[in-house]
Amino acid sequence: MIPKDASDRVALMLTLVPYLLEHQYVKVSNAASHFGVQPEVIRNAIHVLLVSEHQDLATGQWTEDMFDIDWDAFEEDDEIALSAHGKIDDTPRFSTAELAALLTGLNYLASLPDHANNVLITNLFAKMRAAAGGNISDSKSIAMAAPPQSSSLPIARQAIEQKQTIEFEYVAADGNVSTRVVDPIKIDLIDDVWYLRAWCHTREELRNFRLERIRVAQLSSEPRDPRADSVQVSEWLIDRAETGEAVTLEVATPGIPLLGDFVADTDIPKTDPTTVTVSVVNAHSLKRIVTAHPHLIRILSGKESQRLTVEWAKAGLSRYE
Amino acid sequence: MPENVPPEQRLFTLVMTLLASEQGLLREQIYQCVPGYSSDAEPSALEKKFERDKDTLRSLGIPIDVQDSPDAPGDNTKQRYRIKKDEYDLPADIEFSSEEVSLLRLAGSIWREATISKAAATAFLKLGSMGVAVDEPVLSSAPKIHTREASFGPLEEAIRERKVVRFDYLKPGDATSMTRRITPFHLGFHEGRWHLYGYDHVREATRIFLLSRITSKVQKDKDLQPAPFPDDAGDEIISQLQDRYLQNVATVKVQSRSVAATTLRRRMSADEKGMLSNGEINDETAINVHYTDLTAFAEELAGFGPEVQVLSPPELQQAVIGLLKIAVARNGGAA
């Protein structure tokens, strides 16, 4: 994490101290990677700790010795050896917000097929209840339905684990149905949609498939392409390096989530409605989104996307004539 | 008097000082002994700063105990503040294995948006504090859940704090939003949408709201007493949505081997699927599909364009036709 404000920084200090008291002569770099922050963040926290002082009400003296450090080790070897005189030797307990974030997440994981019957999760719930102290009932704020089942999920998962190749009929956003031979690499669940990231033998590149658009999948006799095991899979479903038609959209605030990876969260100005320009590789995906939410999203410019969207909606209307 | 005390130092010293005090400290004493509450600041600014600091620390799970003076109940200049160590510390004898820490990190990393992912990040620091070494967690396989609606954070907080809220809500079919006064009980994620389950103080009954239809900021409503909290709110919201799903049935014709056919298939009951010839959806046979919310389902169906024709219910058909007409008109097509 990158500490963004005083709240993050004090949280780091309060959790760092008990850790350091337990672990003497820890390298700054090790402490940094343990807490998932940059070494400089740890050094800054140490400096603030060491200058912390408070006034003793009885004597009126400023005390500056809440913490001691082995200065030589810190300055010469970049190692921390800390001792404290205060009462801060234990990890603070979890807040209700933290418990809500962890326990809801844990509940959701338990509803996924890859964690079904995970005894570890059952035990963890009991442990977290104990760790929560009295906070547990106040932390129940969020419930999540299990994600949709997908008949292609087991074979895709098996293919990833055993490095197998599978084939299936796929219905693309443009409506074309084709047979694909792919090497599954990774499965993503984003909100309520399962995606398969796989090396496509036909296209010879990494492709994303929505699991619900896969028709009967089976093992393939084709050998796995070695490139499937070296290709980098990005966090994003849409490859931002790939460029397509520049399309300008007018989007009302509730419409922004609907655009998913078409727009990065950071691209969005805070007006309502807002105007964003996106690079559209697959106008057939966009036309489906715009036609579903025409009151929230409209295409201001981008001839091809506009034409496809209007054709699509008109064709839909023709079914009622 | 030290100068330029960074806020994290002030907060940290405040925690140390309140932990060290046996009988608690008056505000005045805190301002005096914690550097950063500069004595020459405006008294009202000082009060605000202290209130903010208390909120910050409480949001990190630090219990600040406030005790009224027996002579002057409610007078905040006579109240004493302290942190009880046994309430501050994580209960003793809780230890997590490295596998458990990995799993908790995976659980906390599903959240994509600011408020709740910030809480998860602080929880990760506390897990780190316990000193368990963790192999590089398998974060890549974490599901991702978005909570992009601005109302999510304030509602989630109001639920935990048992506070009444008010917000404007646009009910489908209404021209304008109406203000609702609600005791929020639970948030629920169902079919990819976030819902709120709570007690509506005007209608005097429980209701379910879609977060995407909240049109204003969520504000605390201090004039109302919160409604009694049901124990099973979490199960209740999901089961009510599930009941609606099973009750609502639409009859549609779907183009075979289309995106609509593959997507709508899972809305068919097992019996319904059993009646398909060769197990395939075909162009000619009408099928029955379940849905939870008429407006949301109309949007999904409109997105399928010519792949779907709605036969019933009529209000669903009208909603789909309405959306398709708007799509034509708003994107430069002659209506």
Side-chain angles (χ1 to χ4, degrees), chain B residues 49-323:
Chain B
K49 194 190 251 183
F50 181 62
E51 291 300 325
R52 231 185 10 247
D53 285 354
K54 275 195 301 174
D55 287 345
T56 301
L57 292 177
R58 282 183 176 141
S59 76
L60 295 173
I62 292 158
I64 298 176
D65 183 58
V66 189
Q67 281 197 310
D68 272 345
S69 156
D71 314 331
D75 178 353
N76 75 12
T77 61
K78 302 259 168 65
Q79 284 170 331
R80 289 185 176 271
Y81 297 86
R82 65 173 171 163
I83 297 171
K84 294 182 187 162
K85 186 153 167 56
D86 59 337
E87 289 176 5
Y88 173 92
D89 291 350
L90 196 70
D93 67 39
I94 301 283
E95 276 178 26
F96 294 104
S97 70
S98 122
E99 271 171 309
E100 287 172 330
V101 173
S102 293
L103 204 53
L104 286 171
R105 292 186 63 106
L106 187 69
S109 63
I110 70 173
W111 307 107
R112 293 289 102 185
E113 263 71 40
T115 46
I116 188 159
S117 70
K118 186 175 160 75
T122 315
F124 293 168
L125 290 177
K126 291 179 184 175
L127 289 170
S129 179
M130 291 175 232
V132 184
V134 181
D135 306 332
E136 197 46 43
V138 275
L139 292 183
S140 55
S141 60
K144 293 190 184 110
I145 302 295
H146 290 96
T147 55
R148 279 185 261 220
E149 292 87 350
S151 53
F152 186 94
L155 288 172
E156 200 270 331
E157 188 183 299
I159 292 168
R160 283 186 285 102
E161 295 177 353
R162 307 284 193 254
K163 294 272 168 60
V164 183
V165 295
R166 63 164 80 214
F167 53 77
D168 295 342
Y169 189 74
L170 183 63
K171 206 175 151 189
D174 286 0
T176 52
S177 306
M178 301 266 280
T179 301
R180 304 291 187 122
R181 304 175 82 182
I182 308 292
T183 298
F185 294 152
H186 231 77
L187 290 161
F189 189 66
H190 183 257
E191 290 201 320
R193 292 183 291 273
W194 281 106
H195 304 77
L196 171 70
Y197 172 58
Y199 181 82
D200 187 320
H201 287 264
V202 177
R203 286 157 192 80
E204 298 186 331
T206 56
R207 287 280 189 275
I208 290 180
F209 304 92
L210 258 174
L211 263 56
S212 60
R213 294 182 188 147
I214 293 176
T215 55
S216 70
K217 279 196 168 159
V218 173
Q219 280 170 327
K220 302 253 162 84
D221 192 330
K222 294 195 174 104
D223 304 336
L224 288 174
Q225 282 295 317
F229 231 76
D231 288 337
D232 54 352
D235 299 331
E236 191 59 27
I237 182 170
I238 299 298
S239 73
Q240 281 196 23
L241 290 166
Q242 201 57 33
D243 287 350
R244 284 185 196 179
Y245 173 84
L246 292 173
Q247 275 161 20
N248 292 333
V249 178
T251 308
V252 293
K253 271 191 180 177
V254 182
Q255 192 188 318
S256 69
R257 290 165 36 109
S258 64
V259 169
T262 59
T263 310
L264 292 175
R265 209 185 154 80
R266 66 171 175 231
R267 293 181 173 276
M268 298 168 72
S269 67
D271 287 352
E272 188 74 17
K273 279 185 212 164
M275 288 192 290
L276 294 170
S277 65
N278 304 326
E280 290 270 2
I281 292 171
N282 65 63
D283 299 4
E284 297 310 317
T285 314
I287 56 167
N288 292 319
V289 288
H290 292 285
Y291 63 93
T292 310
D293 179 275
L294 186 132
T295 306
F297 191 47
E299 289 168 356
E300 182 178 345
L301 294 177
F304 293 134
E307 295 173 348
V308 175
Q309 180 187 2
V310 181
L311 303 176
S312 77
E315 54 277 27
L316 182 65
Q317 188 190 59
Q318 282 313 307
V320 171
I321 292 172
L323 288 166

Side-chain angles (χ1 to χ4, degrees), chain A residues 8 34 127 141 143 191 299, chain B residues 95 118 128 144 146 156 331:
Chain A
D8 289 345
H34 183 78
K127 238 181 225 191
S141 53
D191 296 327
I299 304 172
Chain B
E95 276 178 26
K118 186 175 160 75
K144 293 190 184 110
H146 290 96
E156 200 270 331
N331 293 286

Side-chain angles (χ1 to χ4, degrees), chain A residues 1 5-15 17-19 23 34-35 48-49 51-55 57 62 66-67 86-98 100-102 104-106 108-109 112 115 118 120-121 124 127-128 130-131 137-138 140-145 148 169 171-172 177 186 188-192 212-213 215 235 250 254 257 265 288 290-299 306 309-310 312-317 319-320, chain B residues 2 7-9 11-13 15-17 19 22 25 29 32-33 35 56 59-62 85-91 94-96 99-100 103-104 106-108 110-113 116 118-119 121-132 140 143-146 148 152 156 159-160 162 186-192 194 234 238 253 257-259 262-263 266 280 299 302-310 317 320-321 323-328 330-331 333-334:
Chain A
M1 94 173 228
D5 51 26
S7 160
D8 289 345
R9 283 190 287 269
V10 76
L12 178 66
M13 289 166 70
L14 292 171
T15 50
V17 169
Y19 170 81
H23 299 78
H34 183 78
F35 282 91
V48 176
L49 278 181
V51 298
S52 293
E53 53 177 5
H54 65 112
Q55 194 175 20
L57 287 169
W62 288 92
M66 292 203 286
F67 294 96
K87 276 188 171 179
I88 177 171
D89 47 4
D90 247 311
T91 301
R93 68 180 56 191
F94 294 109
S95 71
T96 54
E98 291 156 19
L102 294 187
T104 311
L106 206 55
Y108 193 60
L109 289 186
L112 303 182
H115 294 283
N118 189 338
L120 210 57
I121 292 189
L124 248 182
K127 238 181 225 191
M128 289 301 288
S137 65
D138 293 351
K140 286 184 188 158
S141 53
I142 309 167
M144 295 172 78
E169 266 187 18
V171 188
V177 184
K186 183 168 177 271
D188 279 322
L189 174 61
I190 301 178
D191 296 327
D192 220 19
E212 85 261 16
R213 295 185 188 168
R215 288 158 52 84
E235 196 191 341
E250 183 190 79
D265 292 347
R288 288 173 184 270
V290 177
T291 311
H293 309 279
H295 45 304
L296 297 177
I297 308 166
R298 73 182 200 156
I299 304 172
Q306 227 161 20
T309 302
V310 171
W312 190 243
K314 281 186 172 169
L317 281 171
R319 294 205 62 162
Y320 301 97
Chain B
E8 62 268 29
Q9 183 183 336
L11 288 161
F12 184 76
T13 314
V15 173
M16 301 285 289
T17 307
L19 267 172
E22 293 289 336
L25 295 174
Q29 295 173 306
Q32 190 189 341
C33 64
T56 301
S59 76
L60 295 173
I62 292 158
K85 186 153 167 56
D86 59 337
E87 289 176 5
Y88 173 92
D89 291 350
L90 196 70
I94 301 283
E95 276 178 26
F96 294 104
E99 271 171 309
E100 287 172 330
L103 204 53
L104 286 171
L106 187 69
I110 70 173
W111 307 107
R112 293 289 102 185
E113 263 71 40
I116 188 159
K118 186 175 160 75
T122 315
F124 293 168
L125 290 177
K126 291 179 184 175
L127 289 170
S129 179
M130 291 175 232
V132 184
S140 55
K144 293 190 184 110
I145 302 295
H146 290 96
R148 279 185 261 220
F152 186 94
E156 200 270 331
I159 292 168
R160 283 186 285 102
R162 307 284 193 254
H186 231 77
L187 290 161
F189 189 66
H190 183 257
E191 290 201 320
W194 281 106
I238 299 298
K253 271 191 180 177
R257 290 165 36 109
S258 64
V259 169
T262 59
T263 310
R266 66 171 175 231
E280 290 270 2
E299 289 168 356
F304 293 134
E307 295 173 348
V308 175
Q309 180 187 2
V310 181
Q317 188 190 59
V320 171
I321 292 172
L323 288 166
L324 292 170
K325 283 183 176 163
I326 299 172
V328 172
R330 293 238 304 160
N331 293 286

